[in-house]
Amino acid sequence: MEGSCGGGGGGGAVQMAAWQGRVGATNIGRLRHGKTSSSSSAAVAARGGGVTAWHLRVFAGVVGVMGCLLLVASLMMSAVHQVQFRNAAISRSFRGLQELKQNSVRTEEAEQIMHPRLLQMATSVVTKLLLMSNFPSLPVQNESDSDSVKFSLWEEPYKQARKWKPCAAKHSLPDEVPEENNNGFILISANGGLNQQRVAVCNAVVVAALLNATLVLPRFLYSSVWKDTSQFGDIYQEDYFVNYMKSDVHIVKDLPPHLQSLDLEAIGSQITDMDISKEAAPSEFIKAVLPILQQNGVVHFLGFGNRLGFDSVPVHLQRLRCRCNFHALKFVPEIQRAGSLLVQRLRRAGAMRTEMDKQLFGSNMLDVPALLAGGEPSRYLALHMRFEEDMVAYSLCDFGGGDAEREELQAYRETHFPTLAMRLRNTSVSPEEQRSLGRCPLTPEEAGLVLTALGYDRGTFIYVAGSQIYGGAARLRPLTRLFPNLVTKEDVLSSAELAPFKNFSSRLAALDFIACASADVFAVTDSGSQLSSLVSGYRVYHGRGRAPTLHPNRKRYAQILGEEEGIGWGGFERRVRNMVEEYKRVSARPRGRSVYRQPRTPGCMCRAAGDGSVDF
């Protein structure tokens, strides 16, 4: 009876209960064999010894089993209370992922599962990890390999990351750019969402400096996908941007009156993305754009998506990119205050200011009291779950939804990506090949498997950005099964606090940017996402080597999942940890990579050498 509680799992609760059963049996045995002053009692014991011993063994077994059950119940209740506690402390009216999870339970909608075997093992592992975290002295048996890579959950594992310092605040130009010899005005109308537009703005700053032109405050195009009418001044502080960059580029808010009436397309001053190569070298702008600028006095870049390269840009212009992205673009006070409230509630702490806070909030960080008096600030992981319908449709991947899913995504492509839909009529694309090449965004289930393999337990508090999950509750439930402590900005902020941003996707995305940048750990699920790219770079630049980012290699992960039937949990864990650990190695920006994502590059960050700092 001593080893029977809980089957063959060998958990700490089982072992402790069995130990209690043995102690109880030993004490009863001592009473049974102890000396007494009554000879008649000894005679009775001698006559009925066999029957009495059997009853006592049964009794001891029953006591052991009851002790086991009580201990397991106590441990599980403690774990459940820890998981549920922070959600209750944040909000009493869950409307985001919490409401989605509750609706999922009410409707009993089937889960959409692609990896049932791994998910079943992971479900067991996250609970054991939570018990090990809360009760480290218990010998809870883990299913991991003893050879698994030790993964640093909440810290940057490489101290070299702390040797890199921000350097883009410095500039080598005069105090203010003279207006004489100016070649004219550059106007851009940036497409995409918040993060694509941010990249376009900073690239425009570089092009304006390159062509010795005046930059007009950028305009943002309306997108049928994002459906947001916000302009630059609705998201960023205009005056701060103009003043911060005045030593590098002359910036005005509008074209002069004599140019406003011109039909820029008719006079040949409109430059579309078809006219400039993707990630073009500076020489292409000088050759193709400068003559038009000098002739007409104005050039309008329409779209301007990723038109400027990285490797061919000289150091002094690369520095402008970083000055713009990491220093000059500050969110408007309304967004800063809401973001401050969001982060402080996630941390359960007020009056806490990090270097990242100073950069994100400036003087607009709210001084709110700690939500739990006397409690330590809490850690949270931010997960950018880029599994919205637009990304899923554009990927051309199969996510296990059958014919209904394929028809729905094709209809979406016909409406929102007509060029892609037209190309598919003449070309066959293999979803399996797309997945093997690492071009499929991770599902919530696949993201949960990565986090479990890295060692995050069931009690981990997770902020989810990009929460409009394609497939809704059915697609989300495998993740919430592993990590029930999930929230979005809709859970943390009230309806009234979010009201100023309602129906403005870019302003809501700015709150996600803030929460992800401020997180103790940031987890990426799609390397092609602009938010993930920009947040990763922001954390490298302002994180002082203390802002780790988890970045799965989707191609390698697809290979691992493709072999899932032949590997145990320990093998899966080891391969996932090796995959993520490789990305965390500290190095200068590799050739061809974005400065916005990997800012350890000349002109942007400096590597400390002795008591001073040098670029390289």
Side-chain angles (χ1 to χ4, degrees):
M1 296 292 293
E2 294 169 1
S4 64
C5 181
V14 175
Q15 296 176 23
M16 181 172 287
W19 177 80
Q20 290 175 333
R22 288 195 293 271
V23 171
T26 301
N27 289 336
I28 294 172
R30 287 174 181 171
L31 289 174
R32 188 170 69 242
H33 298 296
K35 296 180 180 180
T36 85
S37 59
S38 171
S39 59
S40 60
S41 296
V44 171
R47 288 193 302 270
V51 175
T52 304
W54 181 82
H55 282 89
L56 289 174
R57 283 196 298 272
V58 172
F59 178 73
V62 171
V63 169
V65 171
M66 292 180 64
C68 172
L69 293 175
L70 288 172
L71 182 59
V72 170
S74 174
L75 293 174
M76 292 306 297
M77 286 299 294
S78 174
V80 169
H81 279 299
Q82 176 174 335
V83 168
Q84 294 177 341
F85 176 71
R86 287 190 63 188
N87 280 359
I90 286 178
S91 175
R92 295 183 180 179
S93 58
F94 302 142
R95 302 176 313 286
L97 287 176
Q98 305 302 324
E99 181 177 301
L100 188 57
K101 287 184 280 185
Q102 292 165 7
N103 289 339
S104 162
V105 174
R106 284 195 298 268
T107 60
E108 298 183 351
E109 187 178 1
E111 295 176 319
Q112 286 193 342
I113 297 174
M114 298 179 67
H115 312 283
R117 179 173 173 271
L118 284 174
L119 184 62
Q120 183 178 8
M121 291 189 288
T123 302
S124 171
V125 168
V126 289
T127 301
K128 289 182 179 180
L129 288 171
L130 179 59
L131 292 177
M132 293 168 64
S133 175
N134 288 330
F135 306 96
S137 61
L138 288 181
V140 179
Q141 180 179 351
N142 196 3
E143 299 177 15
S144 304
D145 277 357
S146 58
D147 295 333
S148 289
V149 176
K150 298 298 182 184
F151 192 82
S152 179
L153 295 177
W154 299 100
E155 303 292 337
E156 217 29 286
Y158 297 106
K159 293 182 179 180
Q160 299 96 311
R162 300 180 186 179
K163 295 182 179 180
W164 291 85
K165 309 294 182 185
C167 286
K170 299 182 294 185
H171 63 87
S172 56
L173 298 177
D175 289 340
E176 191 164 341
V177 177
E179 293 187 45
E180 57 267 20
N181 301 320
N182 189 288
N183 287 316
F185 294 85
I186 287 181
L187 177 68
I188 73 161
S189 296
N191 58 13
L194 171 76
N195 301 291
Q196 295 94 320
Q197 291 165 347
R198 186 181 182 106
V199 170
V201 168
C202 294
N203 285 348
V205 165
V206 174
V207 171
L210 173 70
L211 302 181
N212 189 26
T214 294
L215 178 66
V216 180
L217 271 182
R219 300 172 183 173
F220 296 156
L221 295 173
Y222 179 83
S223 166
S224 62
V225 174
W226 303 109
K227 299 178 181 178
D228 190 346
T229 58
S230 297
Q231 289 300 318
F232 187 95
D234 298 314
I235 300 170
Y236 302 110
Q237 298 178 33
E238 291 183 350
D239 291 339
Y240 186 91
F241 177 71
V242 171
N243 290 328
Y244 193 91
M245 299 304 302
K246 68 182 181 181
S247 298
D248 308 290
V249 177
H250 190 232
I251 303 175
V252 296
K253 294 186 177 182
D254 295 294
L255 282 172
H258 72 280
L259 294 177
Q260 291 180 14
S261 59
L262 293 179
D263 185 336
L264 299 183
E265 183 177 8
I267 66 173
S269 280
Q270 181 165 289
I271 309 293
T272 70
D273 284 355
M274 298 295 292
D275 301 318
I276 297 289
S277 304
K278 185 177 181 181
E279 297 189 1
S283 58
E284 184 171 342
F285 286 90
I286 293 174
K287 181 179 180 180
V289 178
L290 183 58
I292 300 174
L293 179 66
Q294 291 173 328
Q295 177 179 335
N296 298 331
V298 59
V299 165
H300 178 205
F301 288 102
L302 184 63
F304 207 58
N306 297 319
R307 292 301 104 181
L308 181 63
F310 295 101
D311 298 326
S312 56
V313 175
V315 172
H316 73 282
L317 294 179
Q318 207 78 282
R319 188 188 304 276
L320 289 190
R321 261 183 168 148
C322 294
R323 280 174 59 77
C324 171
N325 184 51
F326 299 117
H327 294 280
L329 290 177
K330 302 294 185 185
F331 293 121
V332 294
E334 186 177 47
I335 293 175
Q336 288 182 324
R337 286 190 289 268
S340 167
L341 186 60
L342 172 62
V343 169
Q344 291 186 68
R345 285 180 180 168
L346 289 169
R347 291 176 181 161
R348 292 194 306 162
M352 177 181 172
R353 290 182 65 84
T354 65
E355 177 62 28
M356 191 74 72
D357 294 334
K358 296 174 184 176
Q359 296 298 328
L360 288 170
F361 310 123
S363 61
N364 289 305
M365 185 166 186
L366 298 179
D367 187 14
V368 298
L371 298 181
L372 296 176
E376 291 293 322
S378 295
R379 296 182 297 199
Y380 74 95
L381 180 149
L383 172 67
H384 184 214
M385 197 70 255
R386 188 68 170 98
F387 200 72
E388 296 98 335
E389 188 170 13
D390 65 312
M391 174 59 74
V392 172
Y394 196 82
S395 72
L396 305 179
C397 297
D398 189 338
F399 297 97
D403 291 338
E405 175 188 283
R406 285 189 285 272
E407 292 172 3
E408 183 178 28
L409 294 179
Q410 180 58 25
Y412 187 92
R413 285 190 286 267
E414 294 284 353
T415 301
H416 299 284
F417 305 125
T419 303
L420 176 61
M422 184 179 299
R423 193 171 78 231
L424 290 176
R425 297 190 189 104
N426 304 316
T427 307
S428 176
V429 176
S430 166
E432 293 77 15
E433 183 179 359
Q434 290 290 96
R435 186 168 297 279
S436 68
L437 293 173
R439 294 174 180 172
C440 300
L442 268 59
T443 67
E445 174 192 3
E446 291 167 341
L449 291 174
V450 169
L451 294 179
T452 305
L454 294 179
Y456 293 95
D457 63 44
R458 185 175 171 83
T460 303
F461 192 65
I462 299 177
Y463 176 88
V464 180
S467 58
Q468 296 299 317
I469 304 298
Y470 173 71
R475 185 66 74 177
L476 181 69
R477 283 177 67 188
L479 176 60
T480 59
R481 183 201 294 190
L482 298 173
F483 300 99
N485 215 13
L486 302 180
V487 295
T488 66
K489 54 187 171 293
E490 289 82 9
D491 300 316
V492 182
L493 299 177
S494 69
S495 298
E497 289 162 343
L498 283 172
F501 314 107
K502 187 177 180 181
N503 299 324
F504 296 104
S505 62
S506 291
R507 301 179 212 183
L508 290 171
L511 297 180
D512 276 340
F513 182 103
I514 289 170
C516 291
S518 300
D520 296 275
V521 175
F522 176 51
V524 176
T525 62
D526 176 34
S527 58
S529 160
Q530 285 282 15
L531 184 142
S532 291
S533 176
L534 288 171
V535 169
S536 297
Y538 206 88
R539 289 169 62 83
V540 169
Y541 190 87
H542 288 302
R544 301 296 195 263
R546 295 177 174 84
T549 295
L550 310 177
H551 197 293
N553 182 309
R554 289 187 300 175
K555 185 175 181 179
R556 285 185 59 183
Y557 191 38
Q559 294 172 348
I560 296 171
L561 293 175
E563 302 168 12
E564 63 177 288
E565 293 301 326
I567 57 176
W569 179 260
F572 176 76
E573 176 186 277
R574 182 175 61 255
R575 293 176 68 178
V576 168
R577 291 188 179 191
N578 284 329
M579 172 187 69
V580 175
E581 187 72 23
E582 285 186 10
Y583 180 83
K584 294 172 74 66
R585 300 184 189 280
V586 178
S587 65
R589 180 186 69 89
R591 184 172 179 81
R593 298 298 177 87
S594 167
V595 171
Y596 301 110
R597 176 173 162 183
Q598 298 185 342
R600 296 187 184 107
T601 193
C604 196
M605 296 189 76
C606 305
R607 186 168 52 194
D611 295 330
S613 293
V614 295
D615 276 337
F616 273 84

